[in-house]
Amino acid sequence: MRSLLLVLATTFLVAQSVCATPLMDDFSFLGESPEFVAFVDAVRSTGDAVKAEQLRQTMRKTESGDIADAVLQIRSATMLARLYTELIPKNLERARSLLTEAEVLLPLVKDQQFFSLILSAEIDSIWYLVNPKNLGKGINSNAALSRAYRQFPLQVSAILMKANSMLYAPAFAGRDLDGAQSLLLSLLEQSQQLNTWDKANLYSSLGYLSMKRKQWQTAQGYLLAAKVLYGFDPNLDTYLKTVEEHL
């Protein structure tokens, strides 16, 4: 805990050099839904697909085409689909079903450019996880993220997803650790504005970035911070194991 606090304090000082600009979060209304918060906890804290499926059913309230409801349904479908790619054994059939369901709902947000770009990027990124040979989905996801960030550079989701695309991309596909760090630190500076799941993603990404730079103690601090927020993340567990081997 002491090392974690030291890492976070040090990074906060570094982040002061990043220009602070008020952030926007058009997805913030999701945090006001107790059902959605409980759903995220089932997915991210325990990896309990059965409970997540049950909770998701309680959120299916309307077929009226309401934008907020469509966003909630699409985002919950993509989160649950990702979970099915992480479980052992994987359930790719159910993941495909959820992604198809999300794609059917996507036209409901076509007039909301920000939601349309971010949600389509999420859907395509998980299609790529389901089948890594489908490079077109990965390319489409990155293209949508780039457009979202260009058009909505103050939106939390656009910043975080763009940073992650720069961080996790192969070297030949535009990896940019410096660019990713700049975006992530800009979010860290205003992390009090982030919801819990975005904050967990932020810490995980900063931990991975520190790993890539062989800053092992810093990496451990961030990864443990992410783990405190949400316990279920196989990738996070793998990163922590790697870090511990270097300490």
Side-chain angles (χ1 to χ4, degrees), residues 44 46 72 74 90 108 113 126 141 147 164 183 229:
R44 300 285 300 275
T46 59
L72 183 150
I74 295 169
K90 298 179 180 181
L108 296 177
Q113 185 75 344
I126 301 170
S141 179
R147 286 183 60 195
N164 284 339
L183 293 179
L229 295 178

Side-chain angles (χ1 to χ4, degrees), residues 10 28 37 39 75 87 132 150 157 159 161 217 229 243:
T10 302
S28 62
V37 173
F39 166 83
R75 181 149 264 193
L87 293 175
R150 285 197 304 270
S157 293
I159 299 170
M161 293 177 71
Q217 188 169 7
L229 295 178
V243 167

